[in-house]
Amino acid sequence: MTGRGDLTEVEWQRLEPLLPTGNNRCGRWRDHRQVVNGILHRVRTGVQWRDLPERYGPWKTVYERHRRWSADGTWGRLLQQVQAQADAAGGIDWDVSVDSTSIRAHQHAAGARKAPPPAASKGAAAGTPERKTVGEAVRPPGGGGAGGEALGRSRGGFTTKIHLSADGRCRVLSLLLTAGQWADCTQFEPVMKRIRVPRFGPGRPRTTPDSVSADKAYSNRRTRRYLRRRGIRQVIPEKSDQAVHRVRRGRAGGRPPGFDKERYKKRNTVERAINKLKNYRAVSTRYDKRAYVYLGTVTVAATIIWLRT
């Protein structure tokens, strides 16, 4: 019996070769497809882990698999490999847009222990399209109070902020979490540095888009200098106060930054990518106490969007 939202046969054939395998030092893994479908059900519906339908197996097994893969970066590597498949087929529009969105945190998202969470298994090195094996144990980040778990106070209340970049087809390229009160512009460079699409065969991963568009929140010298240094065409409108200050300085103010109005019309792709993510209820409201687990939840949603687009 399959549930609505479970992986189709075609989706599973694409995802199955990328999943981790055992290393003969522990018991057999429970059927990956059953567990992954259980994780997808929870991400889509936002139900408590204890309320997962019995067809997905023991809820503790499903939760622990999600926690481990969130901690060791497995979900992030899966997202990169699915992106690599799309890039190899010429399916990525490299006119990238950057933005952020605030996520209301449920009251149950607070109260994580200050001590570091239990160690989790670390996957194999990233960058290869083959199966990954389970390796040494590592400790995931977290355990630093609300700030260390990307929880903060903003106008929306108790929130987490997702900073992301999206390609021209409304799919997430990179993700980053901060507390809700953090400014967008401070996370522009970290978000850009997380764009890393591996290539099948020789060659370095692609990290440089053709162009980047963003709203006025990203209009500052540091952002423009960063894009110029990397040779990336920028499409960011100038703030009105910055324009007035530049004109007031005369020649010392320099020339106005270039701005392509037609290209800027495509910036709505990142807004639509955010809307797609928020169709998953465990993303639109944060229930996870640990930041790395919630990042894994968002990454799962982003991966499924890539598989189904």
Side-chain angles (χ1 to χ4, degrees):
M1 178 180 178
T2 60
R4 186 169 67 90
D6 289 356
L7 292 170
T8 65
E9 196 63 39
V10 174
E11 293 164 357
W12 174 245
Q13 289 176 2
R14 290 183 59 190
L15 194 63
E16 193 267 342
L18 307 176
L19 296 174
T21 57
N23 56 8
N24 298 322
R25 291 188 298 175
C26 57
R28 293 180 58 187
W29 291 70
R30 193 176 185 90
D31 179 44
H32 273 328
R33 186 169 185 177
Q34 181 188 33
V35 174
V36 170
N37 281 333
I39 295 171
L40 292 185
H41 179 83
R42 189 264 174 176
V43 173
R44 182 175 61 85
T45 63
V47 300
Q48 294 185 10
W49 290 103
R50 294 175 182 269
D51 295 332
L52 281 176
E54 293 182 359
R55 64 176 177 271
Y56 299 120
W59 71 267
K60 287 186 178 180
T61 300
V62 181
Y63 166 72
E64 186 63 19
R65 189 80 55 88
H66 178 58
R67 188 193 71 81
R68 285 177 175 271
W69 286 3
S70 299
D72 64 20
T74 297
W75 288 127
R77 288 191 291 273
L78 287 176
L79 176 59
Q80 286 186 339
Q81 293 304 321
V82 173
Q83 291 171 346
Q85 291 176 350
D87 190 42
I92 296 183
D93 183 345
W94 284 99
D95 285 333
V96 172
S97 300
V98 178
D99 205 350
S100 71
T101 182
S102 292
I103 302 296
R104 188 65 182 266
H106 193 271
Q107 58 184 356
H108 294 165
R113 297 178 181 178
K114 293 185 177 181
S121 301
K122 181 180 180 182
T128 56
E130 294 82 9
R131 287 177 179 265
K132 313 298 185 296
T133 57
V134 179
E136 300 300 324
V138 296
R139 283 197 182 277
E149 300 299 344
L151 290 167
R153 298 285 178 178
S154 66
R155 291 183 179 181
F158 192 42
T159 53
T160 291
K161 184 172 281 190
I162 302 177
H163 305 262
L164 71 156
S165 63
D167 79 332
R169 298 183 180 179
C170 312
R171 298 168 300 185
V172 172
L173 284 172
S174 60
L175 290 164
L176 177 67
L177 298 184
T178 66
Q181 73 272 15
W182 283 39
D184 294 356
C185 60
T186 61
Q187 302 306 307
F188 178 80
E189 292 183 29
V191 167
M192 291 296 297
K193 290 177 181 177
R194 280 171 168 75
I195 298 177
R196 187 178 181 85
V197 179
R199 302 179 190 273
F200 286 97
R204 297 179 179 179
R206 177 161 182 176
T207 60
T208 305
D210 295 332
S211 67
V212 172
S213 65
D215 59 24
K216 291 183 179 181
Y218 298 90
S219 177
N220 57 68
R221 292 182 179 179
R222 180 169 180 173
T223 297
R224 297 184 189 278
R225 185 165 54 245
Y226 173 81
L227 294 173
R228 266 196 312 270
R229 189 168 61 245
R230 297 187 63 192
I232 302 173
R233 185 162 61 96
Q234 54 184 277
V235 187
I236 304 175
E238 188 179 24
K239 293 181 180 179
S240 57
D241 61 330
Q242 293 175 346
V244 170
H245 181 64
R246 175 176 50 77
V247 172
R248 184 182 299 140
R249 295 184 63 193
R251 288 188 177 182
R255 295 178 297 178
F259 181 69
D260 186 346
K261 290 184 179 181
E262 291 301 317
R263 167 64 182 90
Y264 190 68
K265 291 178 181 179
K266 291 183 63 176
R267 199 193 67 81
N268 67 83
T269 55
V270 69
E271 306 287 354
R272 289 151 62 192
I274 291 171
N275 289 339
K276 287 184 177 183
L277 284 178
K278 288 188 172 181
N279 283 333
Y280 293 83
R281 295 189 176 185
V283 175
S284 60
T285 301
R286 174 177 170 176
Y287 300 100
D288 302 306
K289 293 182 183 294
R290 296 291 182 184
Y292 75 90
V293 177
Y294 181 63
L295 180 61
T297 298
V298 181
T299 305
V300 169
T303 303
I304 297 304
I305 290 171
W306 275 90
L307 285 175
R308 293 176 176 173
T309 302

